Amino acid sequence: MVNITEKFAVSSVSDTSIPLLPSQFLEMVGVLRSLWSSTRNSFSSSASSISPKPCLLPPRASALARAFSAATAASDATSPSSALNPSRLRNVAVIAHVDHGKTTLMDRLLRQCGADIPHERAMDSISLERERGITIASKVTSIPWKEYELNMVDTPGHADFGGEVERVVGMVEGAILVVDAGEGPLAQTKFVLAKALKYGLRPILLLNKVDRPAVSEEMCNEVESLIFDLFANLGASEEQLDFPVLYASAKEGWASTTYTKDPPADARNMSRLLDAIISHVPPPTANLEAPFQMLVSMMERDFYLGRILTGRVSSGSIRVGDRVHGLRHKDSGVEKIEEGKVVKLMKKKGTHMALIDSAGAGDIVSMAGLASPSIGHTVANVEIMIALPTVELDPPTISMTFGVNDSPLAGRDGTHLTGGKIGDRLSAEAETNLAINVLPGLSESYEVQGRGELQLGILIENMRREGFELSVSPPKVMYKTENGQKLEPIEEVTIEVNEEHVGLVMEALSHRRAEIVDMGPVPGSVDRTRLSLTCPSRGLVGYRSVFSSDTRGTGFMHRAFLTYEKHRGPLGNVRKGVLVSMGYGTITAYALMSLEPRGTLFVNPGMETYDGMIVGEHSRDTDLDVNPVRNKELTNVRAASKDENVKLAPPRLMTLEEAIGYVASDELIEVTPKAIRLRKKYMDVNKRKSMSKRPKE
């Protein structure tokens, strides 16, 4: 019989012998893994036998441990070339017009490759993106397919966020151009395609939504020929004109190389598109032996890690713990910003961020450890003093002035009220969004330049949700002067409306200095007309809400920046006058009852008002001062009816975008976390009258 102490001695030897072999060795070498498992089995069987020989096992285990250590060292020495092989990478951007199905397509690709999608539009991680159904910021993720890794970049489709497309299209070697098979190429399709062709990308054309009943094979052929003409007009090369065409329904989750509305069951997936990416998109040209360089294309902040910089590794390889520094171009040459150590290396895989140990040239990764570099700067090895060329962005076209809220109701809702806090927040936004410029103005105000009112409206909405109170000026168009001639930004507008609304739309746009380029029926639909126009940016400010009401919500309008042209002269009468409050206090139903015939009201009884606040739109072209806080005179004569029986029409409560488009040059928007109010720039009625006599700019 075996002695109890002897048996425990054997158990202790086996327990201490197994941890001598680290678990990471098992992942590296398959042959050694099987050797180790057989050794462990023989060892465990010997440990349970009657006559164990514990003295023979430690030398064998230590020898095996030495073999594993040598294998690991060899594996570490060769890992950059094997694990980070650029030929197995594909960097692709998904570009399209707004609402043509980019984000839905990304959902299906992620699901095809095994990612766990928590909800629809998984790439839209910002709350405003999910609320409004649009993509605001570009996002990158990687998905595995066969033995390849695809770095996919989802881009916005709205013209106001074109800067997001411009800064990421240089990170990729290929692009998927998504076009709605029913609508064909539109204004923003032309913009994003021009950017892709400029960087030498060879797009893959994906005709989406072919499962719709109105879409036919003839329509798809017509759209394909229109896109070919668009390629040719934008100066595409012979290689770029030879683009593959796929037909897909991103909503149903399938893509096909031939036209079909109902593919067979085994083909109802995205395999055809993923295979087309592998075969058509070239791998990144990368040198792993060169020193490390990376151009920062995206940036975000983390509470624990600080600044997270995302970009494509241009050359060399990077590991956690490497010494790097940030560089930027200055007029005097290349300037060193900051030196530090790589604390974390991360890569977005599916919908989750994964930690990695190293990354090589051609890959798109995120790193933490530097606190100063931002978008457009270069991160490189400490011995390198060469900065990579930065991305060229189109200039901003409109500007708005952000200032401190100085109305009588200021400070009631918000927590960030001072000009210093507003300036810090705007500076932080300008760092992460290159399409926005921030310039200091007078008396704690800041001029913010951007691409359109939607882009600046998103910024204002984010700030008010963070607890800021602001006063915001109406948008101003940024003019240019060349050879003594005043130039203004002109936009290309595509409009689709029912025939009954064509007259209203054309009349409204004629007051806004628009010129019709083309007009014709919409293919595949009855009683629908498509208009192509060019219109000054200043004429389109605030037109979207007017367009929606004119067309009863049935029209589509898309716009994109076209060029700078000669100033087209003053606009026609595009807005009526306003009803301006000249009382301070709570608005009464009794007062509003007498104001209703004067125009459209913007306020409800019970709201607070002050002198200079706009409470409605006048039915005439002039402003009218009114008293919305007037109470009913009390007498000792009994009345048959009570004040509670006053019936008022529902007021026109403006959203932020409508307010931005509505205000005139002598007015401001008061933005707080709980309210959006319109007011006159000068609240005193006498000051307004004296200022109105001054000549306008």
Side-chain angles (χ1 to χ4, degrees):
M1 203 160 182
V2 181
N3 191 357
I4 294 293
T5 57
E6 190 177 339
K7 188 172 182 180
F8 272 105
V10 173
S11 299
S12 65
V13 169
S14 64
D15 288 342
T16 54
S17 299
I18 291 173
L20 289 175
L21 309 177
S23 60
Q24 59 262 40
F25 299 154
L26 308 179
E27 301 175 6
M28 302 232 176
V29 187
V31 178
L32 293 174
R33 185 194 309 167
S34 60
L35 177 59
W36 162 234
S37 57
S38 62
T39 305
R40 185 173 56 182
N41 291 338
S42 63
F43 179 46
S44 58
S45 63
S46 63
S48 60
S49 63
I50 295 176
S51 56
K53 296 184 178 62
C55 58
L56 300 177
L57 291 169
R60 185 177 181 186
S62 59
L64 196 56
R66 284 196 298 272
F68 270 117
S69 302
T72 309
S75 170
D76 286 346
T78 59
S79 62
S81 59
S82 59
L84 308 171
N85 187 357
S87 64
R88 289 176 38 235
L89 287 171
R90 296 292 187 273
N91 299 322
V92 187
V94 183
I95 58 175
H97 189 84
V98 65
D99 285 339
H100 278 198
K102 297 177 304 303
T103 308
T104 307
L105 176 69
M106 287 295 296
D107 278 0
R108 300 300 175 264
L109 291 175
L110 286 167
R111 192 167 289 162
Q112 171 92 22
C113 298
D116 181 23
I117 305 293
H119 52 78
E120 291 295 314
R121 303 177 63 86
M123 294 294 286
D124 285 349
S125 54
I126 305 171
S127 58
L128 272 174
E129 292 180 324
R130 291 198 291 270
E131 287 174 23
R132 303 188 181 213
I134 58 173
T135 302
I136 295 171
S138 292
K139 299 165 198 74
V140 61
T141 188
S142 69
I143 53 177
W145 180 246
K146 297 180 178 176
E147 67 271 18
Y148 296 92
E149 188 159 329
L150 312 181
N151 291 321
M152 308 290 295
V153 184
D154 184 25
T155 62
H158 201 284
D160 285 18
F161 308 111
E164 295 284 321
V165 181
E166 291 168 338
R167 75 179 185 186
V168 300
V169 81
M171 295 165 58
V172 297
E173 285 78 34
I176 302 172
L177 177 66
V178 183
V179 178
D180 190 322
E183 293 186 0
L186 293 173
Q188 188 68 1
T189 311
K190 181 178 178 182
F191 172 83
V192 294
L193 179 60
K195 296 297 176 188
L197 296 177
K198 176 185 171 185
Y199 279 88
L201 307 184
R202 293 178 59 196
I204 297 170
L205 175 60
L206 185 77
L207 295 181
N208 194 21
K209 306 183 184 180
V210 295
D211 57 325
R212 286 186 172 179
V215 176
S216 63
E217 189 170 4
E218 292 76 19
M219 187 182 292
C220 288
N221 292 335
E222 186 180 339
V223 169
E224 192 180 328
S225 62
L226 286 171
I227 293 168
F228 185 88
D229 295 342
L230 185 59
F231 270 74
N233 293 337
L234 292 173
S237 64
E238 291 290 332
E239 292 79 14
Q240 290 170 329
L241 285 171
D242 184 22
F243 54 86
V245 182
L246 285 90
Y247 307 86
S249 168
K251 189 176 179 182
E252 298 289 333
W254 56 264
S256 171
T257 52
T258 56
Y259 173 81
T260 178
K261 281 184 178 288
D262 188 20
D266 60 337
R268 295 185 73 85
N269 53 46
M270 286 290 174
S271 302
R272 306 287 188 283
L273 176 59
L274 292 164
D275 290 337
I277 293 172
I278 299 298
S279 58
H280 190 73
V281 177
T285 53
N287 184 4
L288 288 170
E289 306 303 323
F292 167 73
Q293 280 183 306
M294 181 182 90
L295 182 68
V296 180
S297 298
M298 302 180 193
M299 188 186 82
E300 56 186 315
R301 288 180 178 80
D302 185 86
F303 185 75
Y304 296 102
L305 299 174
R307 190 169 291 199
I308 298 175
L309 309 173
T310 303
R312 178 185 161 186
V313 181
S314 179
S315 62
S317 59
I318 183 75
R319 290 175 175 277
V320 176
D322 284 0
R323 300 291 299 179
V324 292
H325 61 187
L327 305 171
R328 67 178 168 192
H329 288 283
K330 298 285 278 188
D331 295 336
S332 56
V334 177
E335 180 193 23
K336 181 175 176 179
I337 308 169
E338 177 197 8
E339 184 175 331
K341 185 176 76 170
V342 178
V343 178
K344 295 274 187 187
L345 268 181
M346 294 161 286
K347 184 164 183 178
K348 189 80 174 284
K349 298 196 174 181
T351 55
H352 306 288
M353 190 69 85
L355 293 174
I356 56 175
D357 295 326
S358 61
D363 208 353
I364 299 174
V365 293
S366 303
M367 61 172 288
L370 297 178
S372 300
S374 61
I375 296 171
H377 296 164
T378 301
V379 178
N381 278 352
V382 287
E383 65 267 15
I384 296 293
M385 283 301 293
I386 301 171
L388 296 168
T390 55
V391 180
E392 290 184 12
L393 296 179
D394 288 348
T397 55
I398 70 165
S399 70
M400 296 171 74
T401 302
F402 289 42
V404 176
N405 181 17
D406 57 354
S407 84
L409 300 180
R412 294 191 178 188
D413 302 338
T415 53
H416 305 304
L417 312 173
T418 62
K421 286 200 171 185
I422 294 171
D424 292 343
R425 175 65 178 83
L426 292 174
S427 300
E429 183 69 26
E431 274 191 342
T432 58
N433 190 348
L434 288 189
I436 283 180
N437 296 337
V438 178
L439 305 174
L442 301 172
S443 65
E444 291 192 318
S445 66
Y446 303 87
E447 183 185 352
V448 183
Q449 302 171 345
R451 297 282 181 89
E453 66 254 43
L454 177 62
Q455 183 193 25
L456 297 180
I458 293 288
L459 171 60
I460 297 168
E461 181 65 32
N462 281 326
M463 290 181 70
R464 71 181 281 238
R465 291 185 181 195
E466 293 164 16
F468 282 86
E469 286 197 13
L470 310 162
S471 66
V472 184
S473 76
K476 295 179 185 174
V477 171
M478 300 181 66
Y479 298 104
K480 278 185 181 179
T481 304
E482 287 184 6
N483 303 324
Q485 198 172 47
K486 189 177 182 181
L487 305 179
E488 67 174 342
I490 303 293
E491 299 195 24
E492 183 180 5
V493 188
T494 305
I495 288 176
E496 237 180 69
V497 290
N498 294 335
E499 280 189 8
E500 57 189 307
H501 301 134
V502 171
L504 272 174
V505 170
M506 291 179 68
E507 182 186 1
L509 286 170
S510 66
H511 290 304
R512 297 169 183 268
R513 296 289 175 179
E515 295 177 0
I516 293 181
V517 177
D518 189 24
M519 179 177 173
V522 176
S525 59
V526 183
D527 295 336
R528 293 280 284 181
T529 303
R530 180 176 291 173
L531 305 170
S532 295
L533 313 99
T534 59
C535 184
S537 294
R538 61 195 167 98
L540 291 172
V541 170
Y543 178 63
R544 191 170 290 277
S545 59
V546 176
F547 175 78
S548 295
S549 59
D550 282 351
T551 61
R552 304 291 187 270
T554 61
F556 297 101
M557 182 176 79
H558 304 299
R559 44 187 281 204
F561 173 75
L562 184 63
T563 182
Y564 272 87
E565 284 184 8
K566 183 181 174 184
H567 192 268
R568 291 188 180 179
L571 300 180
N573 196 5
V574 296
R575 202 198 80 171
K576 298 184 182 296
V578 290
L579 304 175
V580 186
S581 169
M582 57 180 190
Y584 181 88
T586 304
I587 297 171
T588 63
Y590 176 76
L592 293 185
M593 183 176 64
S594 60
L595 294 180
E596 251 194 344
R598 300 282 190 172
T600 306
L601 296 176
F602 297 161
V603 291
N604 270 323
M607 287 184 177
E608 295 286 311
T609 187
Y610 52 84
D611 191 11
M613 179 174 150
I614 296 171
V615 295
E617 183 182 82
H618 195 196
S619 55
R620 303 188 180 184
D621 294 337
T622 55
D623 293 347
L624 180 67
D625 293 314
V626 297
N627 183 9
V629 299
R630 184 163 56 95
N631 281 307
K632 186 177 183 180
E633 296 293 335
L634 300 178
T635 67
N636 60 353
V637 178
R638 294 183 180 182
S641 62
K642 297 180 180 180
D643 288 347
E644 287 81 7
N645 296 334
V646 173
K647 295 282 193 256
L648 295 170
R652 179 184 171 190
L653 299 175
M654 286 204 179
T655 63
L656 182 59
E657 274 75 28
E658 288 173 341
I660 290 172
Y662 187 83
V663 287
S665 57
D666 63 334
E667 297 164 3
L668 295 174
I669 309 167
E670 179 188 349
V671 180
T672 75
K674 295 182 181 177
I676 295 168
R677 306 182 187 97
L678 305 182
R679 50 165 278 202
K680 287 292 183 180
K681 190 174 182 181
Y682 303 104
M683 289 184 284
D684 181 61
V685 61
N686 297 317
K687 181 74 179 282
R688 284 202 302 273
K689 285 179 179 176
S690 64
M691 295 302 292
S692 65
K693 294 174 183 176
R694 289 189 177 185
K696 294 185 178 179
E697 293 181 1

